[in-house]
């Protein structure tokens, strides 16, 4: 029965996402400089608890709807003269969300990807990135009231390598070092290792 797997309720709300972008260059495999700039936002119409706000009975006050906005940019900064499909690209992203409803009030991330670093593997990609999630003021105030002096930011440093093993299979191991997980000073920094597999039919 399909209803056993999917249940829809008006209380869950609807999530909407929209993005507008600007592109220059013919594409990432062209010898032209590739540039992308995107501006987007999201809105979730469900009811959310306000962080650190309660009524006389101690129940969290609710707010209808949640939202966030983001800006992203990508650009190729170097192309190998004899092989324009190889080279270095950089990216950056920044985002903001309603800190009265979300523990993370803002986000900043940046990184670089080199395609074809090894001559024998022109389709492989090596990537390095840094991302920082900043705690909202309401979340920090609520943490202090609970006896926790929350850190300002959680920072993740990521190193990854995407190997195109066959025309239809790619594997991407990923290593991350996370500073201040969950903004909790009592939690040690974390090291995470994962892998992603891509199969094309």
């Amino acid at each position: 029965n399909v209803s056993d797997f999917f249940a829809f309720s008006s209380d869950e709300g609807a999530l909407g996402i929209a993005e507008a972008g600007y592109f220059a260059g013919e594409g990432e495999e062209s010898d032209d400089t590739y540039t992308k700039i995107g501006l987007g936002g999201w809105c979730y119409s469900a009811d959310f608890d306000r962080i650190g706000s309660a009524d006389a009975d101690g129940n969290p006050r609710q707010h209808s709807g949640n939202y966030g906005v983001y800006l992203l940019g990508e650009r190729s900064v170097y192309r190998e003269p004899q092989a324009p499909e190889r080279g270095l690209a950089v990216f950056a992203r920044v985002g903001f969300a309603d800190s009265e409803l979300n523990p993370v009030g803002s986000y900043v991330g940046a990184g670089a990807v080199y395609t074809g670093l090894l001559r024998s593997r022109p389709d492989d990609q090596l990537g390095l990135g840094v991302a920082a999630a900043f705690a909202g003021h309401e979340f920090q105030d609520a943490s202090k009231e609970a006896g926790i002096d929350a850190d300002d930011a959680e920072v993740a440093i990521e190193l990854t390598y995407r190997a195109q093993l066959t025309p239809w299979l790619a594997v991407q191991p990923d290593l991350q070092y996370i500073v201040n997980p969950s903004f909790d000073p009592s939690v040690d920094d974390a090291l995470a290792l994962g892998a992603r597999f891509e199969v094309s039919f």
Side-chain angles (χ1 to χ4, degrees), residues 94-124:
V94 59
F96 302 91
D98 187 349
S99 62
E100 292 186 349
L101 307 175
N102 303 281
V104 176
S106 59
Y107 162 89
V108 176
V113 177
Y114 202 104
T115 301
L117 184 64
L118 302 177
R119 293 293 176 184
S120 61
R121 305 196 59 82
D123 297 323
D124 287 6

Side-chain angles (χ1 to χ4, degrees), residues 157-161 172-178 190-196:
I157 303 170
E158 180 180 14
L159 179 65
T160 184
Y161 189 91
Q172 183 177 353
D174 183 273
L175 179 66
Q176 295 185 33
Y177 185 76
I178 304 166
L191 186 66
L193 177 63
R196 175 182 179 183

Side-chain angles (χ1 to χ4, degrees), residues 84-155:
E85 70 277 6
R86 302 173 184 259
L88 179 67
V90 296
F91 65 88
R93 297 171 185 144
V94 59
F96 302 91
D98 187 349
S99 62
E100 292 186 349
L101 307 175
N102 303 281
V104 176
S106 59
Y107 162 89
V108 176
V113 177
Y114 202 104
T115 301
L117 184 64
L118 302 177
R119 293 293 176 184
S120 61
R121 305 196 59 82
D123 297 323
D124 287 6
Q125 294 179 311
L126 174 66
L128 177 65
V130 179
F134 297 93
H137 295 299
E138 288 79 3
F139 174 79
Q140 288 183 306
D141 291 342
S143 297
K144 287 182 180 179
E145 291 182 2
I148 301 173
D149 190 12
D151 289 318
D152 293 333
E154 175 186 292
V155 179

Side-chain angles (χ1 to χ4, degrees), residues 36-68:
K36 175 186 176 181
I37 299 174
L39 176 64
W42 57 270
C43 182
Y44 196 2
S45 65
D47 292 334
F48 292 84
D49 294 341
R50 287 183 177 272
I51 297 175
S53 179
D55 59 22
D57 296 327
N59 298 315
R61 290 190 174 91
Q62 291 196 322
H63 182 272
S64 179
N66 197 349
Y67 70 91

